[in-house]
Amino acid sequence: MLIVEDDELFALRIKRMLKEIYAEEVQINHCLESKAAKDYLEVEKPDIALIDVVLEDEKASIEIARILSDMGIAVIFMTAFRREDLFEHALEVNPENYILKPFSSLQIKQAIELALVKKESRNYTKRQSKELGTILLTSANSTLERVPIKAIIAVESSGNYCQFYRLGGVKLVHRMPLKNYSTILPDSVFIQIHRRYVINLDLVDRIDTKEQLVWAGGLSFPYGKKYQNNFIDRLS
Protein backbone atom coordinates (compact mmCIF):
# COMPACT_ATOMS: atom_id res chain seq x y z
CA MET A 1 0.00 0.00 0.00
CA LEU A 2 1.24 3.47 -0.90
CA ILE A 3 0.39 6.65 1.04
CA VAL A 4 1.17 9.98 -0.64
CA GLU A 5 0.59 12.61 2.06
CA ASP A 6 2.54 15.81 2.82
CA ASP A 7 1.39 15.91 6.46
CA GLU A 8 3.75 13.53 8.27
CA LEU A 9 1.66 13.38 11.44
CA PHE A 10 -1.49 12.50 9.55
CA ALA A 11 0.39 9.91 7.48
CA LEU A 12 1.62 8.33 10.73
CA ARG A 13 -1.96 8.22 12.00
CA ILE A 14 -3.10 6.44 8.82
CA LYS A 15 -0.26 3.91 9.12
CA ARG A 16 -1.28 3.15 12.72
CA MET A 17 -4.88 2.63 11.63
CA LEU A 18 -3.83 0.30 8.84
CA LYS A 19 -1.55 -1.70 11.13
CA GLU A 20 -4.47 -2.14 13.54
CA ILE A 21 -6.78 -3.25 10.73
CA TYR A 22 -4.44 -5.48 8.75
CA ALA A 23 -1.72 -6.31 11.32
CA GLU A 24 1.37 -7.47 9.43
CA GLU A 25 -0.53 -8.48 6.27
CA VAL A 26 0.07 -5.14 4.55
CA GLN A 27 3.34 -3.46 3.63
CA ILE A 28 2.91 0.32 3.87
CA ASN A 29 5.10 2.88 2.12
CA HIS A 30 4.80 6.63 2.65
CA CYS A 31 5.92 9.42 0.30
CA LEU A 32 5.76 13.08 1.28
CA GLU A 33 5.54 14.49 -2.23
CA SER A 34 4.88 13.55 -5.84
CA LYS A 35 8.50 13.15 -6.98
CA ALA A 36 9.21 10.61 -4.26
CA ALA A 37 6.03 8.76 -5.25
CA LYS A 38 7.11 8.67 -8.91
CA ASP A 39 10.53 7.30 -7.93
CA TYR A 40 8.86 4.65 -5.79
CA LEU A 41 6.54 3.59 -8.62
CA GLU A 42 9.50 3.02 -10.93
CA VAL A 43 10.54 0.04 -8.80
CA GLU A 44 7.39 -1.03 -6.93
CA LYS A 45 3.73 -1.68 -7.80
CA PRO A 46 1.38 -1.38 -4.82
CA ASP A 47 -2.16 -2.77 -4.85
CA ILE A 48 -3.71 0.47 -3.67
CA ALA A 49 -2.72 4.10 -3.08
CA LEU A 50 -4.09 6.72 -0.68
CA ILE A 51 -3.36 10.19 -2.07
CA ASP A 52 -3.90 13.63 -0.61
CA VAL A 53 -5.85 15.65 -3.19
CA VAL A 54 -3.57 18.67 -2.63
CA LEU A 55 0.14 17.85 -2.51
CA GLU A 56 2.56 20.50 -3.82
CA ASP A 57 -0.54 21.56 -5.76
CA GLU A 58 -3.66 19.96 -7.18
CA LYS A 59 -1.97 19.05 -10.48
CA ALA A 60 0.66 16.95 -8.69
CA SER A 61 -1.92 14.68 -7.10
CA ILE A 62 -3.82 14.26 -10.38
CA GLU A 63 -0.60 13.41 -12.22
CA ILE A 64 0.29 10.72 -9.67
CA ALA A 65 -3.25 9.34 -9.80
CA ARG A 66 -3.04 9.06 -13.60
CA ILE A 67 0.22 7.12 -13.37
CA LEU A 68 -1.33 4.78 -10.79
CA SER A 69 -4.49 4.31 -12.84
CA ASP A 70 -2.44 3.47 -15.96
CA MET A 71 -0.61 0.86 -13.88
CA GLY A 72 -3.90 -0.70 -12.81
CA ILE A 73 -3.54 0.42 -9.18
CA ALA A 74 -6.62 1.38 -7.15
CA VAL A 75 -6.68 5.06 -6.09
CA ILE A 76 -8.34 6.62 -3.04
CA PHE A 77 -8.20 10.41 -2.72
CA MET A 78 -8.11 11.96 0.75
CA THR A 79 -8.81 15.59 1.61
CA ALA A 80 -9.71 17.86 4.50
CA PHE A 81 -11.28 20.36 2.07
CA ARG A 82 -15.02 20.15 1.49
CA ARG A 83 -14.76 21.92 -1.85
CA GLU A 84 -16.85 20.85 -4.82
CA ASP A 85 -14.18 22.04 -7.28
CA LEU A 86 -11.61 19.68 -5.70
CA PHE A 87 -14.04 16.81 -5.99
CA GLU A 88 -14.71 17.60 -9.66
CA HIS A 89 -10.96 17.87 -10.22
CA ALA A 90 -10.40 14.44 -8.67
CA LEU A 91 -13.09 12.88 -10.87
CA GLU A 92 -10.91 13.59 -13.93
CA VAL A 93 -8.91 10.45 -13.14
CA ASN A 94 -11.91 8.33 -12.09
CA PRO A 95 -10.60 7.25 -8.64
CA GLU A 96 -11.99 4.19 -6.87
CA ASN A 97 -12.92 6.25 -3.81
CA TYR A 98 -12.83 9.72 -2.24
CA ILE A 99 -12.75 10.18 1.54
CA LEU A 100 -12.89 13.27 3.76
CA LYS A 101 -10.50 13.84 6.66
CA PRO A 102 -10.60 13.17 9.52
CA PHE A 103 -11.79 9.59 9.15
CA SER A 104 -12.06 6.60 11.46
CA SER A 105 -10.45 3.18 11.16
CA LEU A 106 -13.79 1.75 10.03
CA GLN A 107 -14.22 4.42 7.35
CA ILE A 108 -10.76 3.86 5.85
CA LYS A 109 -11.21 0.09 5.99
CA GLN A 110 -14.51 0.31 4.12
CA ALA A 111 -13.04 2.79 1.61
CA ILE A 112 -10.13 0.44 0.88
CA GLU A 113 -12.27 -2.66 0.52
CA LEU A 114 -14.73 -0.89 -1.77
CA ALA A 115 -11.87 0.52 -3.87
CA LEU A 116 -10.34 -2.92 -4.37
CA VAL A 117 -13.70 -4.42 -5.36
CA LYS A 118 -14.34 -1.60 -7.86
CA LYS A 119 -10.86 -1.94 -9.35
CA GLU A 120 -11.27 -5.69 -9.82
CA SER A 121 -14.72 -5.16 -11.33
CA ARG A 122 -13.29 -2.61 -13.80
CA ASN A 123 -10.43 -4.88 -14.75
CA TYR A 124 -12.86 -7.76 -15.27
CA THR A 125 -15.11 -5.61 -17.46
CA LYS A 126 -12.12 -4.53 -19.57
CA ARG A 127 -10.98 -8.14 -19.99
CA GLN A 128 -14.49 -9.20 -20.95
CA SER A 129 -14.82 -6.34 -23.43
CA LYS A 130 -11.59 -7.29 -25.18
CA GLU A 131 -12.44 -10.99 -25.24
CA LEU A 132 -16.07 -10.65 -26.33
CA GLY A 133 -15.93 -7.41 -28.32
CA THR A 134 -18.66 -5.96 -26.12
CA ILE A 135 -19.05 -3.39 -23.34
CA LEU A 136 -21.51 -3.05 -20.43
CA LEU A 137 -23.42 0.24 -20.52
CA THR A 138 -26.35 1.61 -18.52
CA SER A 139 -29.68 1.99 -20.31
CA ALA A 140 -32.44 4.56 -19.67
CA ASN A 141 -34.14 2.33 -17.08
CA SER A 142 -30.82 1.89 -15.19
CA THR A 143 -30.25 -1.71 -16.27
CA LEU A 144 -26.91 -2.89 -17.63
CA GLU A 145 -26.83 -3.82 -21.29
CA ARG A 146 -24.05 -5.64 -23.12
CA VAL A 147 -23.43 -3.74 -26.38
CA PRO A 148 -21.22 -4.86 -29.29
CA ILE A 149 -18.39 -2.35 -29.66
CA LYS A 150 -18.84 -2.31 -33.44
CA ALA A 151 -22.43 -1.05 -32.90
CA ILE A 152 -21.27 2.07 -31.05
CA ILE A 153 -21.42 5.09 -33.36
CA ALA A 154 -19.98 7.80 -31.11
CA VAL A 155 -19.34 8.85 -27.52
CA GLU A 156 -20.29 12.25 -26.13
CA SER A 157 -18.95 13.83 -22.95
CA SER A 158 -21.71 14.74 -20.49
CA GLY A 159 -20.23 16.02 -17.24
CA ASN A 160 -18.87 13.10 -15.23
CA TYR A 161 -20.57 10.66 -17.60
CA CYS A 162 -20.36 9.78 -21.27
CA GLN A 163 -23.30 9.11 -23.57
CA PHE A 164 -22.84 6.28 -26.06
CA TYR A 165 -24.76 6.45 -29.34
CA ARG A 166 -25.43 3.00 -30.75
CA LEU A 167 -26.93 1.85 -34.03
CA GLY A 168 -30.71 1.97 -33.87
CA GLY A 169 -30.81 5.38 -32.23
CA VAL A 170 -30.38 4.16 -28.64
CA LYS A 171 -28.36 6.20 -26.11
CA LEU A 172 -26.60 4.53 -23.19
CA VAL A 173 -24.30 5.91 -20.49
CA HIS A 174 -21.09 5.05 -18.64
CA ARG A 175 -19.34 6.98 -15.87
CA MET A 176 -15.92 8.09 -17.07
CA PRO A 177 -14.12 11.17 -18.44
CA LEU A 178 -14.13 11.23 -22.25
CA LYS A 179 -10.32 11.22 -22.37
CA ASN A 180 -10.37 7.73 -20.85
CA TYR A 181 -12.34 6.26 -23.76
CA SER A 182 -9.40 4.15 -24.96
CA THR A 183 -9.48 2.13 -21.72
CA ILE A 184 -12.69 0.45 -22.88
CA LEU A 185 -12.80 1.12 -26.63
CA PRO A 186 -10.12 0.14 -29.17
CA ASP A 187 -8.22 3.25 -30.33
CA SER A 188 -7.55 1.43 -33.60
CA VAL A 189 -11.22 2.11 -34.46
CA PHE A 190 -12.27 5.06 -32.28
CA ILE A 191 -10.80 8.56 -32.43
CA GLN A 192 -11.50 11.86 -30.71
CA ILE A 193 -12.81 14.46 -33.19
CA HIS A 194 -13.95 17.19 -30.79
CA ARG A 195 -13.40 18.10 -27.15
CA ARG A 196 -16.79 16.46 -26.49
CA TYR A 197 -16.91 13.66 -29.08
CA VAL A 198 -15.22 10.39 -30.01
CA ILE A 199 -16.35 8.57 -33.15
CA ASN A 200 -16.24 5.09 -34.69
CA LEU A 201 -14.17 5.43 -37.88
CA ASP A 202 -15.74 2.31 -39.41
CA LEU A 203 -19.20 3.93 -39.33
CA VAL A 204 -18.28 7.32 -40.85
CA ASP A 205 -20.32 8.00 -43.99
CA ARG A 206 -19.25 11.50 -45.03
CA ILE A 207 -17.65 14.75 -43.87
CA ASP A 208 -18.73 18.34 -44.47
CA THR A 209 -15.49 20.32 -44.19
CA LYS A 210 -17.32 23.63 -44.62
CA GLU A 211 -19.76 23.08 -41.75
CA GLN A 212 -17.25 20.92 -39.85
CA LEU A 213 -19.69 18.05 -39.44
CA VAL A 214 -19.24 14.33 -39.78
CA TRP A 215 -22.06 11.85 -40.47
CA ALA A 216 -21.92 8.37 -38.99
CA GLY A 217 -24.65 5.80 -38.48
CA GLY A 218 -27.26 8.27 -39.76
CA LEU A 219 -26.31 10.96 -37.19
CA SER A 220 -24.21 14.11 -37.49
CA PHE A 221 -21.50 15.24 -35.06
CA PRO A 222 -19.26 18.33 -34.97
CA TYR A 223 -15.50 18.03 -35.23
CA GLY A 224 -12.91 20.54 -34.07
CA LYS A 225 -10.16 22.10 -36.15
CA LYS A 226 -7.42 20.92 -33.80
CA TYR A 227 -8.53 17.30 -34.45
CA GLN A 228 -9.22 17.68 -38.18
CA ASN A 229 -5.89 16.64 -39.71
CA ASN A 230 -5.43 13.57 -37.53
CA PHE A 231 -9.07 12.57 -38.06
CA ILE A 232 -8.92 12.81 -41.86
CA ASP A 233 -5.52 11.07 -41.99
CA ARG A 234 -6.89 8.18 -39.93
CA LEU A 235 -10.04 8.03 -42.01
CA SER A 236 -8.13 7.84 -45.27
Side-chain angles (χ1 to χ4, degrees), residues 7 9 21 54 69 97-98 109 123 127-128 143-144 148 154 165 174 182 194 220 222 226 236:
D7 184 334
L9 288 176
I21 297 167
V54 181
S69 184
N97 220 322
Y98 188 95
K109 179 176 183 291
N123 289 341
R127 290 195 299 270
Q128 288 291 90
T143 59
L144 288 173
Y165 295 79
H174 184 68
S182 61
H194 186 276
S220 65
K226 67 177 282 189
S236 61

Side-chain angles (χ1 to χ4, degrees), residues 150-153 165-170 203 216-218:
K150 64 183 180 181
I152 296 170
I153 304 168
Y165 295 79
R166 66 166 295 181
L167 293 173
V170 180
L203 295 179

Side-chain angles (χ1 to χ4, degrees), residues 33-44:
E33 39 84 33
S34 61
K35 184 182 183 305
K38 289 177 187 176
D39 292 341
Y40 169 77
L41 291 171
E42 287 183 2
V43 294
E44 297 288 346

Side-chain angles (χ1 to χ4, degrees), residues 9 12 23 36 40 50-51 79 85 178 184-185 214 230 232-233:
L9 288 176
L12 181 60
Y40 169 77
L50 308 173
I51 308 174
T79 183
D85 63 317
L178 183 66
I184 57 174
L185 296 173
V214 54
N230 186 41
I232 292 176
D233 286 346

Side-chain angles (χ1 to χ4, degrees), residues 1 3 12-29 105 108:
M1 187 174 294
I3 300 170
L12 181 60
R13 181 186 171 198
I14 299 172
K15 289 171 77 172
R16 285 174 178 165
M17 285 183 182
L18 297 175
K19 288 294 184 183
E20 288 174 6
I21 297 167
Y22 299 107
E24 300 302 320
E25 297 175 16
V26 175
Q27 179 183 344
I28 304 167
N29 297 277
S105 294
I108 193 64

